[in-house]
Each structure stands twice: as structure tokens, then as C-alpha cells.
């Protein structure tokens, strides 16, 4: 995303991390709402993407930082020494068939800000 002076816009994720932003409109509905992808760039490399729902106008990459997203983490049971299903946890755990394989799975959630912080922590600087 470019600022008014034509330079790439950077936003602060926390006191130690600033990232560039690239916004791509992926689709426009007949009703005029648009779907977009916000790519957060660190040293020129995309380290995290966030997708918007149907919105009017431009996506807000700063507001998106504190929105949560969810994903499912499967633990397949048809392998040697499978992960045991946890008991007594507050996490949302389901069991049955996942992708046609016996499994239990956990639904996880975090903010885009936390995902960016974790991604930057994995970068090795020489």
C-alpha cells in the first residue's frame, strides 16, 4: 500500500515490529461489495495474509490486526503413535473422520497481529 507520497506504507505491529502492507482486491460482487487480501510484508517478503469479508470501500489493514481468525489442526489416528486426545481442556476438540481419516481435531484462534509477531520471531537475522 502506498502512502500519499508514493512510498510504501508501513504500520506498527508492536514496539519492535513494523510491516509493509499490500492490498489486493480479489473479487467484486454485483451488489458492489468487494473482497480483499491484505498481505503483511517484512523486509519485502509476505509473512502473513488476511482476507476480508465482503466490505464497501478500502480494507483497513490496521483494524485487521486485532481481528481473530480460526483454523483447524487435525491429529490423525491412523499413524504409529498417534497424539492422544486431550482431556479436561477448554479448547474446542472434535473427533471422528477428518478428510476421510480417523482423527481428532482442535479449533484454534488468534489475531492477525499475533500471527505476524510469531512469523517475525521465526526469521533468522545474520
Amino acid at each position: 500500500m502506498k502512502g500519499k507520497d508514493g512510498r510504501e506504507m508501513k504500520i506498527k505491529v508492536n514496539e519492535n515490529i513494523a510491516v509493509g502492507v499490500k492490498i489486493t482486491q480479489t473479487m467484486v460482487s454485483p451488489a458492489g461489495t468487494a473482497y480483499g487480501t491484505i498481505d503483511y510484508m517484512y523486509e519485502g517478503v509476505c509473512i502473513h495474509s488476511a482476507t476480508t469479508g465482503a466490505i464497501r470501500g478500502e480494507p483497513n489493514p490496521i483494524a485487521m490486526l486485532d481481528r481473530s481468525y480460526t483454523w483447524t489442526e487435525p491429529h490423525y489416528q491412523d499413524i504409529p503413535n498417534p497424539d492422544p486426545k486431550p482431556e479436561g481442556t477448554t479448547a474446542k476438540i472434535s473427533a471422528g473422520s477428518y478428510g476421510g481419516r480417523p482423527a481428532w481435531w482442535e479449533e484454534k484462534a488468534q489475531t492477525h497481529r499475533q500471527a505476524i509477531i510469531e512469523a517475525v520471531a521465526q526469521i533468522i537475522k545474520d
Side-chain angles (χ1 to χ4, degrees):
M1 180 174 202
K2 302 238 185 228
K4 290 181 181 179
D5 62 0
R7 292 186 295 169
E8 180 181 326
M9 180 188 295
K10 289 196 170 195
I11 59 175
K12 282 179 98 170
V13 176
N14 65 17
E15 289 302 316
N16 301 315
I17 300 171
V19 294
V21 177
K22 178 183 172 194
I23 299 176
T24 306
Q25 190 176 76
T26 55
M27 185 186 91
V28 177
S29 73
T33 58
Y35 294 80
T37 300
I38 303 171
D39 292 329
Y40 294 96
M41 315 292 286
Y42 186 78
E43 296 184 6
V45 176
C46 178
I47 59 168
H48 183 72
S49 288
T51 55
T52 68
I55 60 170
R56 293 199 183 275
E58 291 292 318
N60 183 335
I62 297 169
M64 185 64 84
L65 289 173
D66 293 317
R67 291 199 180 125
S68 290
Y69 67 98
T70 61
W71 72 95
T72 302
E73 189 172 284
H75 296 265
Y76 296 104
Q77 300 300 291
D78 59 350
I79 60 172
N81 303 312
D83 294 336
K85 185 177 169 187
E87 300 295 330
T89 180
T90 59
K92 183 177 178 187
I93 305 288
S94 301
S97 178
Y98 191 90
R101 296 173 62 187
W104 63 268
W105 55 94
E106 181 176 2
E107 187 174 300
K108 294 188 171 190
Q110 71 179 5
T111 65
H112 295 286
R113 182 184 309 273
Q114 187 59 39
I116 293 167
I117 292 168
E118 290 175 11
V120 170
Q122 294 179 47
I123 296 171
I124 298 171
K125 293 187 177 188
D126 292 328

